[in-house]
Amino acid sequence: GRAGQRAQDDRGRFTDMMAEARPELVLLLEGANDLNAPFDTGEGVNDRINKTVSALEDMVRDAGFRRIPVMLGTLPPQRPGGRSAGAASFLTRVNEALKVMARAKGAEIVDIFGQFPLSDIGQDGLHPTEAGYQRMAEIWLDAIKTKYEQPPAPSTADAR
């Protein structure tokens, strides 16, 4: 994503980046801006969750059409009361919806929320601290290793 940009508006850029970069794997963590934006008149929490998950589903589907595997991260916690943490109260629902969608679309879910301490969220309530970004990188790396790392082949010395 880009600072301030919503996943709903990012689909075209995502498609363009897939065509240009031709990645072997997509790590997708997006949607916080969609969830934290002011609600439209008559829009409810369920509407917002559905729109956000739908936007991410489109990205997962786009990568799938290109045969690029996707690891979809759940959104990290938000510090209640933080100026940028508008979705703190319903983030668990969002992440459950992301898990359901990921299973249905063949994406690998990476549970960032469940492995991310609230102490690693900055004072704005949304953005990780420096330690939080480090923790997030470790979570992604562990998920990649778990999914793709293969044990070394036994050497001939081991076979004796």
Side-chain angles (χ1 to χ4, degrees):
R2 282 196 174 145
Q5 193 160 3
R6 296 181 187 191
Q8 297 172 49
D9 303 325
D10 219 9
R11 296 178 218 182
R13 189 172 73 86
F14 181 83
T15 299
D16 292 345
M17 290 181 71
M18 292 288 95
E20 181 181 324
R22 298 179 172 209
E24 293 181 34
L25 175 67
V26 170
L27 306 180
L28 184 58
L29 176 65
E30 200 164 345
N33 290 337
D34 300 69
L35 298 169
N36 290 317
F39 281 76
D40 296 328
T41 303
E43 182 183 31
V45 170
N46 289 337
D47 298 322
R48 180 62 61 90
I49 292 171
N50 290 338
K51 286 178 188 176
T52 302
V53 172
S54 178
L56 293 170
E57 181 178 351
D58 287 347
M59 292 178 190
V60 169
R61 187 180 305 117
D62 185 15
F65 287 149
R66 297 167 193 275
R67 299 183 194 272
I68 302 168
V70 175
M71 295 184 116
L72 176 65
T74 59
L75 295 170
Q78 295 183 12
R79 184 182 304 282
R83 72 177 185 278
S84 299
S89 65
F90 58 91
L91 205 51
T92 301
R93 290 171 49 197
V94 172
N95 284 326
E96 287 306 314
L98 288 174
K99 289 175 185 178
V100 169
M101 181 273 289
R103 280 191 296 271
K105 298 301 173 189
E108 183 83 20
I109 199 75
V110 177
D111 188 16
I112 291 173
F113 182 89
Q115 301 178 66
F116 204 91
L118 191 57
S119 61
D120 282 346
I121 298 296
Q123 292 306 308
D124 73 346
L126 175 63
H127 296 95
T129 61
E130 187 174 324
Y133 281 113
Q134 179 63 40
R135 177 67 189 127
M136 194 178 297
E138 291 166 0
I139 293 167
W140 283 113
L141 182 58
D142 288 346
I144 292 167
K145 284 179 178 179
T146 298
K147 178 74 176 173
Y148 295 104
E149 193 171 78
Q150 297 180 5
S155 69
T156 55
D158 292 340
R160 291 185 230 172

